[in-house]
Amino acid sequence: MQTLVIVSHPYPEQSVAIKSLQQIAEQTADVTVRHLETLYQNDLARFDIAAEQKAHEAADRIVYLFPIHWFNLTPMLKAYLNQVWSYGWSFGPNGTALKDKEMQVVVTAGANALTYSEQGLIRSSMDEVLTPMKASAYYVGMKYNQPLAFYGAVGASPETLATFQAAFAERL
């Protein structure tokens, strides 16, 4: 199975958990990694849409790896999806490029798991926070896999990061 991993982090120089997960993806056979901020330097107008669509077309599974950013996607990833998942390519007339591919969302959160629960501060689960990704996957005919969420990523110990990496490697 060919896997494409799209990585986004709004502050890549501060990224520890996402970088550690990206390293696992880069070491895995049949995985292509594209880090948006590295490729496009936070310039939302620079996306090479043809290249990004071609990368998606070559994959059986697409992993979106990002930190939860104010209970949402990163700004770069949102802009990327808006442009790359275009009408006529991913949906609409003749738009079936993503149909039957798997979507795997992998996120990190600085807060603990309790924060992402009905009893927690935001009174919403991680699944609820990720509803736009789930809806988007189904809208374009993708199979939506259960998300993989890593909590307490800010200041995570090397042991915790190793646990994150092992779980991600198993999912890949």
Side-chain angles (χ1 to χ4, degrees), residues 7 10 38-40 42 56 60 69 101 110 114 116 121 132 138 146 157 161 164-165 168:
V7 182
T38 300
L39 290 168
Y40 302 112
N42 284 313
H56 278 70
D60 303 301
H69 187 75
K101 294 182 185 287
L114 177 61
Y116 290 88
L121 181 63
Y138 289 141
Q146 180 64 35
S157 69
L161 291 174
F164 292 176
Q165 288 177 313
F168 184 46

Side-chain angles (χ1 to χ4, degrees), residues 18-28 65 165 168:
I18 293 293
K19 276 184 189 173
S20 73
L21 296 170
Q22 180 179 336
Q23 288 171 349
I24 293 301
E26 290 170 342
Q27 298 167 5
T28 304
L65 172 61
Q165 288 177 313
F168 184 46

Side-chain angles (χ1 to χ4, degrees), residues 66-74 107-110 116 126 129-130:
F66 59 96
I68 293 297
H69 187 75
W70 280 106
F71 313 104
N72 209 327
L73 309 177
T74 65
V107 296
T108 60
Y116 290 88
M126 185 60 78
V129 169
L130 294 172

